[in-house]
Amino acid sequence: MSLKKTLTIAGSDASGGAGLEADLKTFQEHGTYGMAAVTVIATMDPDNNWSHGVYTLPIDVLKAQLKTTFSTGIDALKTGMLSTEEVIKTSGEAIKTSGVQNVVIDPVMVCKGEDEVLNPGNVDAMITYLLPLALVTTPNLFEAGQLAGMKTPKNIDEMKEAAEKIHALGAKNIVIKGGRSIDPTKAFDLYYDGEKHYLLETPKIDTSYNHGAGCTFAAAVTANLANGLDVKAAVIEAKEFVAAAITHGWKLNKFVGPVMHGAKGVYGAPEITVTEI
Ligand code: PXL
């Protein structure tokens, strides 16, 4: 038996809910073989209100991991937290050289709960080295605004405008994760395939235990592409997968509540409404 090979180029979240930990759990749930090239290690300090430490690994350590993983023949990959311009450039160049087509760029710019952008030059580096390689990119509202050179979108029309601008930068498919910020009664995402816009909707899930949702969504898209789904089907299943994971989010400690990555397999998933708009 041979498994589809999925790679995450991402940070480690020592608390296990986001980052490559989320990605590998999600790859496993989708029946793919997961690999990781670690860019940074993120830690959280329980004695200082869970404030984050971000430890970037030496660039040679990243290069060595990229060499290892790409040598195996990757079916699909995603990127997550890439903390410096050098990490972004190194990752982008390795992806380009590998020739892998199923590339999902999750343009992580900040840790949830932290409001400082990791490094101000990162947005330009993502535009130069990553977006042109993206079969799919999955920004949240803030990230979409940064990439599009706009203020953070506040409504569906602004989400559409941002998606079109990001498409013009070379990403082929864009999913902007609106979450609950646009309409508190519903969770909206916008999917733009370069021609049509679709609204993906789930009823509001009443929980604040959603740490790792963004990484889990992008990882599910990646695994689905590796398994041969087309982009639209990959995105819709990923939305089901993460909606189930958020529905069953849980309290790890007084600071953080991760999603339950494997919830869809155990409990099933809520219905997703897809409407062309
Ligand atoms: O959710 C964004 C994210 C991505 N990657 C790592 C993280 C986080 C947030 O905590 O720690 C490694």
Side-chain angles (χ1 to χ4, degrees), residues 11-13 18-19 42 52 81 111 211 215:
S12 163
D13 168 5
H52 289 203
M81 185 185 282
C111 281
H211 176 65
C215 304

Side-chain angles (χ1 to χ4, degrees), residues 10-15 17-21 23 39-44 52-54 78 80-82 106 108-114 143 211-215:
S12 163
D13 168 5
S15 75
L20 69 87
E21 286 82 355
D23 298 339
T39 54
V40 310
I41 298 175
T43 59
M44 297 84 204
H52 289 203
V54 174
K78 75 175 279 283
M81 185 185 282
L82 308 181
D106 186 14
V108 175
M109 292 179 191
V110 286
C111 281
K112 195 169 261 158
E114 306 275 301
E143 292 158 353
H211 176 65
C215 304

Side-chain angles (χ1 to χ4, degrees), residues 148-171:
M150 297 165 50
K151 292 209 179 101
T152 300
K154 289 182 303 305
N155 54 47
I156 290 166
D157 281 344
E158 289 174 6
M159 288 168 81
K160 286 169 85 170
E161 186 187 341
E164 287 171 17
K165 290 193 160 137
I166 297 168
H167 185 261
L169 295 170

Side-chain angles (χ1 to χ4, degrees), residues 6-248:
T6 42
L7 167 66
T8 180
I9 306 173
S12 163
D13 168 5
S15 75
L20 69 87
E21 286 82 355
D23 298 339
L24 293 178
K25 291 167 194 177
T26 301
F27 291 163
Q28 180 83 2
E29 288 293 319
H30 285 80
T32 69
Y33 180 79
M35 284 174 256
V38 191
T39 54
V40 310
I41 298 175
T43 59
M44 297 84 204
D45 186 355
D47 297 326
N48 190 14
N49 204 29
W50 212 240
S51 70
H52 289 203
V54 174
Y55 301 90
T56 300
L57 295 186
I59 203 75
D60 287 349
V61 179
L62 176 60
K63 284 183 179 162
Q65 296 173 85
L66 291 168
K67 193 171 177 190
T68 310
T69 51
F70 279 125
S71 74
T72 66
I74 297 297
D75 293 294
L77 67 85
K78 75 175 279 283
T79 63
M81 185 185 282
L82 308 181
S83 49
T84 67
E85 290 165 66
E86 189 181 37
V87 168
I88 293 169
K89 181 170 189 272
T90 298
S91 302
E93 287 176 348
I95 295 167
K96 195 169 178 184
T97 307
S98 76
V100 173
Q101 297 298 309
N102 290 325
V103 174
V104 178
I105 302 295
D106 186 14
V108 175
M109 292 179 191
V110 286
C111 281
K112 195 169 261 158
E114 306 275 301
D115 48 16
E116 239 152 83
V117 176
L118 286 165
N119 172 357
N122 285 4
V123 175
D124 285 344
M126 285 180 194
I127 291 171
T128 305
Y129 296 107
L130 297 179
L131 286 188
L133 306 174
L135 177 58
V136 185
T137 187
T138 59
N140 60 25
L141 290 169
F142 172 77
E143 292 158 353
Q146 293 287 311
L147 293 172
M150 297 165 50
K151 292 209 179 101
T152 300
K154 289 182 303 305
N155 54 47
I156 290 166
D157 281 344
E158 289 174 6
M159 288 168 81
K160 286 169 85 170
E161 186 187 341
E164 287 171 17
K165 290 193 160 137
I166 297 168
H167 185 261
L169 295 170
K172 294 191 188 65
N173 295 272
I174 296 96
V175 184
I176 302 183
K177 298 168 291 186
R180 286 175 289 177
S181 322
I182 300 286
D183 174 345
T185 66
K186 290 184 182 130
F188 278 124
D189 294 330
L190 181 85
Y191 164 47
Y192 179 57
D193 65 6
E195 284 177 17
K196 292 179 184 157
H197 290 278
Y198 300 91
L199 210 52
L200 312 179
E201 227 179 286
T202 46
K204 176 184 152 180
I205 305 162
D206 213 358
T207 173
S208 48
Y209 301 144
N210 62 2
H211 176 65
C215 304
T216 300
F217 174 73
V221 174
T222 307
N224 287 333
L225 293 172
N227 283 332
L229 270 61
D230 65 31
V231 174
K232 188 175 176 199
V235 165
I236 292 170
E237 193 287 332
K239 173 88 175 157
E240 286 174 8
F241 188 86
V242 78
I246 296 169
T247 303
H248 298 279

